[in-house]
Amino acid sequence: IGDLASRLHRTTDTRLIAEETLKALQTLQHSPLSLFHYINRQTGEFDLLAGVGYSPAQLDARRVMPLGNSLSGQALASRQILRCADVETDERIDPSIRALMLADGIRAMTILPLLYQSEPLGVIGLQFYDKDDDSGEIGLEILRAISETVSLALANARNIQVLEYQAMHDSLTGLPNRSLLHRATAEALRLSNGQHGLALLLLDLDRFKEVNDTLGHRTGDLLLKLVATRLQTALDCHDALLARLGGDEFAILLRQCPAAEVATSVAAELVDALHQPIEVEGIFIELGGSIGVAVYPQHGGTSHALLRCADVAMYSAKSQGVGVSLYDNTHDAQNP
């Protein structure tokens, strides 16, 4: 168990945690079949992370399992390891799950609940072909120790994943932030290997300060969320990453951009989308926006260089009232 704990705490990959756990259980007790299900917070159901002894078709049939009215759900609710000596007669088992198990020849099982500080995380199911199987060589105390070890590893992994997400995303809109934009741009540049172009667009909303001053920051925040949704919808047909840099500034990475004309065309689509009134708390607001466009490799070879050029182009578009402007070094007073 100590060896298992050291392996589990070296990773934040929940699938790897599941696989290592089932491998350790196989070593300890040689159960012919085992499953590791993780609770999906969005759906409230069990998602399969790993399985041992099942065919691909059998695993597919168990990929999503219900949480309510199941033996696994009862194990989590009672916070106890539950054993089923006879699948055919145990009324705690959901009928659809019982039929699935009996069809595969499973006659007994043991459920290990995975919880951390009362929060349900998932379950480990050990299945057997013989009735009255009591989990072989290892007893309840060992199973409890494994359950607690795995639960702690899952909780740590989830907390680290949450922190990593927060570090790379805007807290208001949920969009990628500046750090993730630079990371994604650097990756796109690496993958392009100079074989195709890409573009970075910087968008600044027009008249957004008037909204904050007139209607308040709460309305301004609601408007920013709706703007993010509107922009994302407009970009759905493009290979693009939308990010919020702060305030009323957004950036768009176009990963596949064969020519500057393509980038400016996409930018024009976004400006048109923003000119459509947006309803916020019963008030229709028309914003508009100014977008600066920088294209690789003409305007820069790094994400930071491209973003600086896009910023220059955006201010040029705003000062001239043209909506979209492609970077031009004659407009760049701070050109290095």
Side-chain angles (χ1 to χ4, degrees):
I1 293 173
D3 181 55
L4 174 64
S6 67
R7 292 202 306 275
L8 297 188
H9 288 289
R10 286 198 295 264
T11 181
T12 60
D13 185 337
T14 51
R15 193 170 299 278
L16 184 58
I17 288 173
E19 291 170 353
E20 288 288 342
T21 300
L22 295 189
K23 191 187 301 181
L25 283 167
Q26 287 288 307
T27 302
L28 282 167
Q29 69 159 20
H30 311 295
S31 65
L33 306 165
S34 54
L35 296 168
F36 193 118
H37 281 94
Y38 192 54
I39 294 178
N40 185 318
R41 284 177 162 180
Q42 278 71 46
T43 65
E45 295 181 310
F46 289 114
D47 284 348
L48 182 67
L49 286 184
V52 171
Y54 288 96
S55 69
Q58 289 173 321
L59 290 176
D60 282 340
R62 292 163 171 80
R63 196 142 313 270
V64 178
M65 302 292 278
L67 175 58
N69 300 321
S70 67
L71 193 61
S72 296
Q74 293 173 50
L76 287 170
S78 65
R79 304 174 62 85
Q80 294 181 354
I81 295 172
L82 295 185
R83 283 176 165 165
C84 166
D86 188 350
V87 168
E88 194 166 12
T89 60
D90 197 319
E91 296 181 354
R92 298 172 298 176
I93 301 175
D94 183 273
S96 61
I97 298 176
R98 176 188 291 112
L100 194 64
M101 297 176 72
L102 291 175
D104 291 332
I106 297 169
R107 294 295 180 268
M109 65 176 174
T110 299
I111 304 293
L112 281 63
L114 303 173
L115 304 104
Y116 181 72
Q117 295 181 346
S118 299
E119 181 186 6
L121 301 174
V123 292
I124 300 170
L126 307 174
Q127 292 83 30
F128 306 91
Y129 290 125
D130 299 320
K131 294 180 182 180
D132 303 316
D133 197 302
D134 63 355
S135 295
E137 303 91 345
I138 57 176
L140 283 175
E141 288 306 313
I142 299 297
L143 291 177
R144 285 195 192 99
I146 291 173
S147 178
E148 291 170 3
T149 298
V150 176
S151 297
L152 180 59
L154 284 176
N156 285 341
R158 178 176 285 183
N159 289 338
I160 291 171
Q161 289 166 2
V162 168
L163 291 173
E164 289 175 342
Y165 181 88
Q166 291 173 344
M168 292 293 169
H169 291 79
D170 171 52
S171 60
L172 177 66
T173 62
L175 293 174
N177 61 14
R178 185 184 299 268
S179 296
L180 185 51
L181 173 70
H182 283 301
R183 178 181 293 185
T185 305
E187 178 66 9
L189 288 169
R190 185 186 68 80
L191 292 175
S192 75
N193 197 27
Q195 300 302 309
H196 61 79
L198 58 83
L200 207 54
L201 284 56
L202 186 64
L203 183 157
D204 186 80
L205 298 177
D206 295 338
R207 299 184 298 280
F208 182 73
K209 185 177 184 300
E210 296 174 20
V211 175
N212 274 339
D213 292 344
T214 308
L215 302 176
H217 288 277
R218 177 179 173 276
T219 301
D221 286 348
L222 291 174
L223 180 59
L224 285 172
K225 291 182 180 180
L226 293 171
V227 165
T229 301
R230 173 82 57 91
L231 293 173
Q232 192 65 70
T233 300
L235 290 167
D236 279 347
C237 58
H238 302 285
D239 183 8
L241 174 77
L242 174 65
R244 181 182 176 222
L245 305 188
D248 60 345
E249 276 194 343
F250 294 83
I252 301 96
L253 167 65
L254 297 177
R255 298 185 182 90
Q256 299 283 340
C257 186
E261 291 77 13
V262 174
T264 55
S265 175
V266 172
E269 292 175 19
L270 297 177
V271 171
D272 288 343
L274 289 174
H275 278 304
Q276 303 302 315
I278 300 174
E279 184 180 3
V280 185
E281 298 184 312
I283 301 172
F284 287 88
I285 300 171
E286 183 183 329
L287 282 173
S290 301
I291 300 181
V293 178
V295 178
Y296 168 83
Q298 297 97 304
H299 303 143
T302 68
S303 63
H304 294 278
L306 289 170
L307 190 60
R308 194 195 76 81
C309 291
D311 189 51
V312 170
M314 182 272 291
Y315 279 107
S316 175
K318 189 174 284 288
S319 64
Q320 298 178 45
V322 294
V324 177
S325 178
L326 183 66
Y327 174 76
D328 184 339
N329 61 9
T330 62
H331 300 151
D332 192 351
Q334 282 76 42
N335 189 321

